[in-house]
């Protein structure tokens, strides 16, 4: 078997379709893009944020694997460093053990292109990708998950994560329909919200785009973070384009001065594997000085609550944002959102003295809010 | 110790098979745990045990016990 890794071009689309069809036939949900165009992050001069897609091609032209790299500038230990997110690696080895080497091949190829590489998300420690990365010597850890239930009955009817058997499903239905669940939920929320005092000096503006004020904020905040994706206006405008109506941009001010921003989503879900048919709010991304994180978290929470979402979720790796979420009345839940750092990246972080809770990562990183 | 025997101990460690079940003809289909994850673990263990580094082509060629031994010989690992 001779396999080489090549750039994904238009002529290979039929082979990618055939690859996806073989995976589907064996019951896998994994699919690679059936378009060679980058999904929102085309390489453009002057921008450090861009995507590349690669295919593993056998001699006969058949696609046997694929992966993507999202290159992005990060602020690490006081300087800008280019990293890449290793995402959507799929191997024919998932369905044919004759192609077992392909996954290792994809990973080794990616590391040759960019040794400072990470993976984010991945669905939990038991999934094949984080296990593969751990076997390759990457550091794998979870990014804490936070949630706040606003409408307990809807939560109980829809939270698929808890509906793991008939008994649980019946119990949750009873709690929902009798109103007991609503009462318990409100008691829990009240308990979590005790002591949260809204700052009357805080205002929230919904803005159409990130502009120079985001640059000013980034310059003010960046040195407070051991590691963070560069969150300047140009980068944010690529990540959260103005013409995408899903993205709700909140600019948070104290006495007229911008102290932070939050990027939130308000998603009415249908048949979501974890959240069923809930109207789900997400605090996807955010930036502020650590001392202002609580004000931003509360502002985002209140904005989504006024919109009528059933539940708000967020993943936050930095200690300041974790504390902010708890202060804003969020509970911490089990997380399947993982961070995996390559050995060279791990060494770089060690050398800079950066530990996990100095790193600012959330759902705005990696493959972004595509799955929320 | 012969290279083949040392590779057999790697297979034993990575895949949980008995070293005596290793042969040059062994292929992924013969070994329950020789899947993508197992292959990654095999590459890492061979690199660590023999002090070598496999490039992308070599990782793909590692499709049997015989090829593993041949690749190690090509990298100067001998009995």
């Amino acid at each position: 078997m001779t396999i080489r890794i090549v750039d994904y071009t238009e002529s290979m689309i039929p082979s990618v379709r055939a690859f996806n069809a073989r995976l589907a036939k064996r019951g896998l949900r994994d699919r690679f893009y059936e378009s060679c165009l980058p999904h929102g992050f085309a390489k453009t001069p002057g921008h450090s944020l861009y995507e590349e897609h690669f295919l593993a091609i056998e001699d006969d032209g058949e696609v046997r694997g694929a992966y993507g790299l999202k290159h992005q500038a990060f602020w690490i230990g006081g300087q800008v460093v280019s990293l890449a997110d290793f995402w959507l690696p799929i191997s024919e080895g998932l369905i044919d053990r004759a192609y077992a080497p392909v996954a290792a091949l994809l990973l080794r190829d990616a590391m040759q292109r960019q040794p400072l590489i990470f993976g984010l998300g991945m669905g939990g420690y038991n999934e094949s990708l984080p296990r593969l990365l751990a076997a390759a010597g990457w550091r794998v850890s979870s990014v804490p998950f936070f949630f706040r239930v606003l409408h307990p009955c809807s939560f109980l009817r829809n939270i698929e994560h808890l509906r793991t058997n008939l008994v649980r499903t019946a119990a949750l239905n009873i709690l929902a329909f009798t109103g007991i669940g609503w009462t318990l939920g409100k008691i829990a929320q009240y308990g979590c919200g005790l002591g949260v005092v809204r700052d009357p000096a805080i205002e929230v503006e919904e803005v159409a785009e990130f502009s120079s004020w985001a640059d000013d904020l980034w310059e003010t905040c960046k040195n407070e973070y051991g590691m963070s994706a560069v969150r300047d206006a140009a980068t944010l405008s690529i990540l959260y384009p103005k013409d995408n109506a899903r993205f709700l941009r909140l600019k948070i001010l104290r006495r007229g001065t911008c102290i932070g921003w939050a990027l939130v989503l308000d998603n009415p879900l249908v048949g979501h594997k974890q959240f069923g048919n809930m109207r789900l709010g997400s605090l996807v991304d955010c930036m502020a000085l650590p001392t202002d994180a609580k004000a931003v978290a509360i502002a985002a929470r209140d904005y989504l609550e006024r919109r009528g979402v059933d539940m708000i979720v967020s993943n936050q790796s930095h200690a300041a944002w974790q504390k902010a979420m708890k202060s804003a009345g969020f509970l911490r839940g089990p997380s399947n959102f993982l961070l995996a750092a390559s050995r060279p990246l791990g060494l770089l972080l060690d050398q800079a003295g950066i530990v996990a809770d100095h790193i600012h990562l959330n759902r705005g990183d990696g493959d972004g809010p595509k799955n929320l | 110790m012969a290279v083949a025997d040392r590779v057999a101990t790697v297979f034993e460690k990575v895949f949980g098979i008995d070293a005596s079940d290793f042969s040059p003809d062994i292929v992924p289909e013969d070994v329950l745990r020789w899947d993508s994850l197992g292959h990654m673990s095999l590459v890492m263990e061979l690199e660590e045990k023999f002090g070598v580094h496999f490039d992308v082509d070599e990782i793909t060629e590692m499709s049997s016990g015989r090829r593993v031994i041949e690749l190690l010989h090509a990298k100067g690992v001998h009995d």
Side-chain angles (χ1 to χ4, degrees), chain A residues 42-223:
Chain A
K43 193 168 187 177
T44 50
H47 287 297
S48 56
L49 173 58
Y50 64 96
E51 268 181 23
E52 296 180 292
H53 300 159
F54 302 100
L55 303 176
I57 302 284
E58 198 168 9
D59 277 353
D60 58 2
E62 291 288 352
V63 169
R64 301 300 181 188
Y67 76 92
L69 286 179
K70 176 184 159 195
H71 300 272
Q72 191 169 359
F74 274 73
W75 182 255
I76 297 179
Q79 46 186 335
V80 175
V81 180
S82 181
L83 304 186
D85 174 32
F86 176 64
W87 61 273
L88 204 55
I90 310 178
S91 159
E92 187 107 16
L94 290 169
I95 56 171
D96 183 348
R97 279 182 324 120
Y99 295 98
V102 173
L105 170 65
L106 299 178
L107 182 58
R108 190 59 63 96
D109 183 81
M111 290 208 51
Q112 282 183 354
R113 294 175 192 272
Q114 170 53 286
L116 300 177
I117 195 172
F118 67 94
L120 196 61
M122 298 179 283
Y125 286 107
N126 289 332
E127 295 295 317
S128 54
L129 179 57
R131 290 167 62 211
L132 184 85
L133 298 179
W138 290 34
R139 297 180 194 179
V140 184
S141 58
S142 73
V143 178
F145 170 72
F146 297 91
F147 69 99
R148 181 171 172 87
V149 177
L150 299 168
H151 300 144
C153 289
S154 180
F155 171 80
L156 291 169
R157 280 198 300 272
N158 286 287
I159 189 67
E160 296 299 330
H161 179 69
L162 296 179
R163 291 174 167 265
T164 52
N165 57 47
L166 288 175
V167 172
R168 279 192 179 189
T169 299
L172 289 167
N173 285 341
I174 289 169
L175 285 172
F177 293 122
T178 59
I180 296 172
W182 185 93
T183 305
L184 291 173
K186 283 300 177 186
I187 291 171
Q189 287 300 143
Y190 176 72
C192 291
L194 283 174
V196 176
V197 178
R198 286 178 187 76
D199 184 344
I202 296 293
E203 298 166 53
V204 179
E205 285 180 16
E206 188 176 342
V207 295
E209 59 185 332
F210 293 99
S211 59
S212 60
W213 58 267
D215 286 331
D216 295 339
L217 184 74
W218 170 246
E219 288 303 314
T220 300
C221 296
K222 66 186 184 185
N223 285 314

Side-chain angles (χ1 to χ4, degrees), chain A residues 345-367:
Chain A
L345 178 55
L347 285 172
L348 178 66
L349 294 173
D350 288 345
Q351 284 161 4
I354 296 167
V355 297
D357 60 8
H358 294 169
I359 299 173
H360 184 44
L361 286 170
N362 50 41
R363 291 275 179 163
D365 295 291
D367 64 357

Side-chain angles (χ1 to χ4, degrees), chain B:
Chain B
M1 190 189 249
V3 173
D5 293 332
R6 291 158 70 189
V7 172
T9 62
V10 170
F11 270 65
E12 185 173 52
K13 181 178 178 183
V14 173
F15 299 128
I17 63 169
D18 205 282
S20 60
D21 290 332
F22 173 84
S23 81
D25 297 323
I26 201 166
V27 291
E29 291 85 344
D30 299 330
V31 182
L32 186 64
R33 283 159 56 177
W34 196 347
D35 54 12
S36 298
L37 174 61
H39 195 83
M40 186 77 245
S41 300
L42 176 66
V43 170
M44 299 295 294
E45 189 67 23
L46 288 169
E47 289 183 336
E48 187 171 333
K49 189 168 182 75
F50 292 98
V52 298
H53 178 81
F54 295 106
D55 64 27
V56 293
D57 290 334
E58 290 163 339
I59 287 173
T60 319
E61 290 172 30
M62 214 178 281
S63 54
S64 67
R66 177 169 289 106
R67 280 304 292 144
V68 171
I69 295 166
E70 289 170 352
L71 285 165
L72 289 168
H73 283 159
K75 290 188 172 301
V77 178
H78 297 292
D79 295 346

Side-chain angles (χ1 to χ4, degrees), chain A residues 295-361:
Chain A
V296 172
I298 290 172
R301 179 202 72 189
D302 290 349
Y303 173 85
L304 287 168
E305 185 165 2
R306 285 194 298 274
R307 285 182 70 99
V309 301
D310 295 320
M311 178 177 174
I312 307 171
V313 298
S314 190
N315 287 85
Q316 299 291 341
S317 66
H318 194 279
W321 287 97
Q322 292 180 37
K323 188 176 172 187
M325 300 306 293
K326 289 177 200 165
S327 296
F330 283 73
L331 295 171
R332 185 164 168 175
S335 176
N336 63 4
F337 192 68
L338 305 180
L339 167 65
S342 68
R343 280 182 177 176
L345 178 55
L347 285 172
L348 178 66
L349 294 173
D350 288 345
Q351 284 161 4
I354 296 167
V355 297
D357 60 8
H358 294 169
I359 299 173
H360 184 44
L361 286 170

